[in-house]
Amino acid sequence: MGAYIARRLLLMIPTLFGIMALTFLVIQFVPGGPVEQMIAMMETGSGGHGGGEVATSAAGGMYRGGKGLTREQLASLNRLYGFDRPPLERFWLMMRNYLTFEFGESYYHHRKVVDLVIDKLPVSISLGLWTFVLTYLVSIPLGIRKAVRHGDRFDALTSALILAGYSIPGFVLGVLLIVLFGGGSFWDLFPIRGLLSDNWTELTWFGRITDYLWHMVLPVTASVVGSFAVMTMLTKNSFLEEISKQYVLTARAKGLTENAVLYRHVFRNALIPLVTGFPGAFVAAFFSGSLLIETIFTLDGLGLLGYESVINRDYPVVLATLYFYTLLGLITKLITDLTYVVADPRITFEGNR
């Protein structure tokens, strides 16, 4: 086991390096980089979070829209963003800083990338964690029930409902929920903007909790409905496969109750596929916020930050978040593999080379 873990950790290094190198290479050929973006802001007089003032200062305070930039001013802008160095040198400097989790400063927001991500995390954690918890709490019991009642009316009806939910995109469901329950055309029952009300600080502790949960109802519903189908059907199929095995027939022949058979014998074996996917699903819950869901419900999370960073060519944010997500994904994959051993001690990696 120790040798397997060591090999996997060593393989993470070239994998992470290759992903970052390929992304960095692609970025070099993307038109409209940060320098071009800043020049466009200066020409139109748009500040862009103070970007115009910073660029004008970097360009010597001499820019005039009708006359363009001199070579000296353009060189000053390139120095401001670090583009005065060769690409290979910039890549090595970036990777060296990333090894110590020094991600630099955003070109667009003019703040440290770490601080920027931390500010967006509460939204993504709220949306992702509730989606994760509700998916497991609903799907596993429902999948077990469907396996026990396989083929009857309950199984057919719930399958139709969860597949209908799966077929509806989250953002479409979000719009429908706003129209129905957010004051669109029918009932004004739930707030549709942000996580908290404007008077949240003036509320009692119970009022704050209620206000937060009330704000989460519509976005979490839009996000979670499509997740039920995969987890429910996976649970059902896992239980159906185990129920047909010989040890279940033996347990029933011994006179055990149906609940004892299901939860003492079948449960552990049937949940192995679900348990092994738990680490990845849990981590993804924090960082898989939907851009469209966040936009529809005015939630300023990581999804919206990533989209804005790509549009504004905010390379420090794009590359830093990619580095962090890739590293986290590789570690999660290793943890997922190790949970197979925890869930079923018969599994071993000793033969893997």
Side-chain angles (χ1 to χ4, degrees):
M1 177 65 72
Y4 174 78
I5 296 175
R7 287 196 302 270
R8 289 293 301 271
L9 291 175
L10 289 175
L11 283 173
M12 288 182 187
I13 299 175
T15 302
L16 181 62
F17 184 88
I19 292 174
M20 296 303 300
L22 181 61
T23 306
F24 186 85
L25 179 63
V26 171
I27 283 178
Q28 307 309 305
F29 299 99
V30 175
V35 173
E36 290 80 1
Q37 294 261 341
M38 194 58 65
I39 291 175
M41 287 183 186
M42 295 165 65
E43 288 177 345
T44 59
S46 173
H49 290 269
E53 291 80 354
V54 173
T56 303
S57 176
M62 299 171 59
Y63 176 73
R64 295 179 182 176
K67 297 182 179 180
L69 274 76
T70 65
R71 289 185 178 180
E72 292 76 12
Q73 291 170 332
L74 186 59
S76 180
L77 277 179
N78 283 318
R79 284 194 302 272
L80 174 67
Y81 293 109
F83 292 116
D84 56 327
R85 299 176 178 178
L88 188 60
E89 181 182 353
R90 286 190 281 117
F91 177 74
W92 284 113
L93 289 174
M94 180 189 75
M95 292 304 297
R96 187 185 67 183
N97 291 332
Y98 282 9
L99 289 176
T100 59
F101 294 96
E102 176 56 49
F103 296 123
E105 186 175 288
S106 165
Y107 293 158
Y108 186 71
H109 298 276
H110 306 293
R111 297 178 55 195
K112 287 187 175 181
V113 174
V114 173
D115 296 337
L116 197 58
V117 170
I118 290 175
D119 283 348
K120 311 295 183 180
L121 270 180
V123 171
S124 296
I125 289 176
S126 295
L127 187 59
L129 192 57
W130 281 113
T131 300
F132 168 80
V133 171
L134 290 176
T135 298
Y136 269 79
L137 287 180
V138 173
S139 297
I140 292 179
L142 180 59
I144 296 174
R145 186 67 174 172
K146 285 172 64 63
V148 173
R149 301 183 59 176
H150 176 62
D152 68 3
R153 183 177 298 179
F154 173 82
D155 183 34
L157 179 60
T158 53
S159 293
L161 290 176
I162 63 173
L163 291 177
Y166 182 72
S167 65
I168 301 175
F171 68 92
V172 174
L173 180 59
V175 173
L176 179 62
L177 291 173
I178 290 175
V179 172
L180 291 176
F181 305 111
S185 302
F186 294 89
W187 302 281
D188 187 6
L189 300 178
F190 298 98
I192 59 173
R193 295 178 61 86
L195 290 179
L196 307 171
S197 299
D198 294 335
N199 64 334
W200 187 80
T201 56
E202 302 172 5
L203 301 175
T204 63
W205 65 269
F206 180 77
R208 293 181 181 183
I209 295 175
T210 304
D211 180 75
Y212 164 74
L213 294 176
W214 209 240
H215 277 77
M216 293 303 300
V217 170
L218 295 186
V220 168
T221 301
S223 179
V224 77
V225 168
S227 305
F228 287 148
V230 174
M231 187 64 64
T232 301
M233 299 309 293
L234 179 60
T235 303
K236 175 190 173 182
N237 293 334
S238 297
F239 267 78
L240 283 177
E241 182 180 355
E242 292 297 322
I243 288 173
S244 62
K245 291 184 177 179
Q246 184 63 41
Y247 74 89
V248 176
L249 298 177
T250 303
R252 285 172 175 165
K254 290 181 179 180
L256 295 179
T257 64
E258 191 64 21
N259 284 338
V261 173
L262 284 176
Y263 295 102
R264 285 172 51 188
H265 295 275
V266 177
F267 191 79
R268 179 176 180 179
N269 293 327
L271 287 185
I272 287 178
L274 306 179
V275 171
T276 53
F278 186 90
F282 183 76
V283 174
F286 293 91
F287 304 104
S288 60
S290 170
L291 166 64
L292 294 175
I293 296 294
E294 291 180 5
T295 303
I296 291 172
F297 293 99
T298 320
L299 302 174
D300 191 11
L302 291 176
L304 193 58
L305 174 65
Y307 173 76
E308 290 179 346
S309 300
V310 172
I311 295 299
N312 295 312
R313 304 296 191 269
D314 198 350
Y315 295 150
V317 177
V318 174
L319 290 169
T321 52
L322 175 66
Y323 174 86
F324 182 70
Y325 292 163
T326 304
L327 181 61
L328 196 61
L330 292 171
I331 295 174
T332 302
K333 179 60 178 175
L334 174 59
I335 296 174
T336 300
D337 290 345
L338 297 179
T339 55
Y340 279 101
V341 179
V342 176
D344 189 349
R346 296 171 296 178
I347 298 176
T348 177
F349 296 108
E350 295 302 323
N352 294 344
R353 293 291 184 268

